[in-house]
Amino acid sequence: MKKLIILTCIALFSFTAFAQGYKVGDKATDFKLKNVNGKTVSMADYKSAKGFIVVFTCNHCPYAKAYEARIIELDKKFASKGYPVIAINPNDATAYPEDSFDNMKKRSTEKKYTFPYLLDDSQAIARAYGATKTPHVFVLSKTSGGGIVEYIGAIDNDTEGSDESKVKYVENAVNALLTNKKPETTLTKAVGCGIKWKSI
């Protein structure tokens, strides 16, 4: 019994540490995930990139849908400047069939995604990053030692997409990095649907 309690405590501690994810300044792990075109994508594939806008998102969430056009605009604006968007769907498609790989392919085609839309089927990358919402953004700068987390949180402070005076957190962070400065705002609260985790 005592051994079981100790093992349970160790497991809970490990899960808690794992679930905390990255903080600003941490080195982010690369990944190799399947894109909607069937090919595997990793950050290492982007030889000339200066960094990345990694967005955990999905098909079904109303918040993800509301931000979809803004995610596309971020890629159109910053991919050519060295900061492409990489979108990752971490949701359990068994619980939410709208987030299945086939439906990911349909949505990326219908909405004309200009960026890869990857399936995190094991949810290991979402857990490693500490993503909890869709959408949830991690802006990384590319260094010789790997991707460094520079910003974590929301795309902006306007979930409705109707406020002309919105604060564009991700855009501001990338613009700062492009001028070799650190973002003034490095952490905001991601607003969206909770990631649909698989049962362990």
Side-chain angles (χ1 to χ4, degrees):
M1 185 65 181
K2 184 178 179 182
K3 185 178 180 181
L4 178 61
I5 293 172
I6 292 172
L7 289 173
T8 301
C9 290
I10 291 172
L12 287 172
F13 175 78
S14 299
F15 177 79
T16 301
F18 187 54
Q20 288 176 346
Y22 295 133
K23 300 183 294 293
V24 171
D26 285 350
K27 178 183 173 183
T29 188
D30 200 351
F31 41 75
K32 291 184 178 179
L33 299 174
K34 186 166 72 170
N35 191 13
V36 288
N37 65 4
K39 297 182 179 179
T40 300
V41 171
S42 71
M43 290 190 287
D45 298 331
Y46 294 76
K47 303 300 182 188
S48 61
K50 299 175 182 174
F52 303 93
I53 303 170
V54 178
V55 184
F56 291 88
T57 187
C58 68
N59 283 12
H60 88 274
C61 172
Y63 291 98
K65 292 176 180 176
Y67 273 106
E68 192 172 46
R70 280 172 273 181
I71 294 170
I72 294 171
E73 286 305 309
L74 283 170
D75 188 62
K76 288 182 176 178
K77 186 168 187 175
F78 292 113
S80 62
K81 297 179 180 179
Y83 280 82
V85 165
I86 298 178
I88 300 174
N89 175 9
N91 275 351
D92 178 6
T94 302
Y96 285 81
E98 191 177 339
D99 290 332
S100 71
F101 188 65
D102 283 343
N103 284 326
M104 287 171 61
K105 291 193 287 187
K106 290 177 184 175
R107 189 156 193 92
S108 67
T109 299
E110 289 172 0
K111 299 298 180 180
K112 300 179 179 177
Y113 285 3
T114 55
F115 45 81
Y117 188 23
L118 311 181
L119 175 64
D120 183 13
D121 191 44
S122 71
Q123 303 184 315
I125 299 304
R127 290 189 187 280
Y129 276 65
T132 59
K133 304 287 186 182
T134 54
H136 200 159
V137 182
F138 295 75
V139 175
L140 312 178
S141 61
K142 186 178 176 182
T143 72
S144 58
I148 302 299
V149 180
E150 302 283 1
Y151 169 82
I152 302 172
I155 291 171
D156 57 39
N157 64 345
D158 179 22
T159 55
E160 300 297 324
S162 57
D163 184 358
E164 294 297 323
S165 63
K166 67 172 76 66
V167 181
K168 300 178 180 178
Y169 301 125
V170 171
E171 189 170 325
N172 292 345
V174 176
N175 277 329
L177 293 169
L178 285 169
T179 56
N180 297 317
K181 297 177 182 176
K182 291 293 185 182
E184 289 187 6
T185 301
T186 57
L187 182 64
T188 61
K189 181 180 179 181
V191 178
C193 305
I195 288 177
K196 312 309 177 191
W197 301 107
K198 295 180 178 180
S199 299
I200 298 176

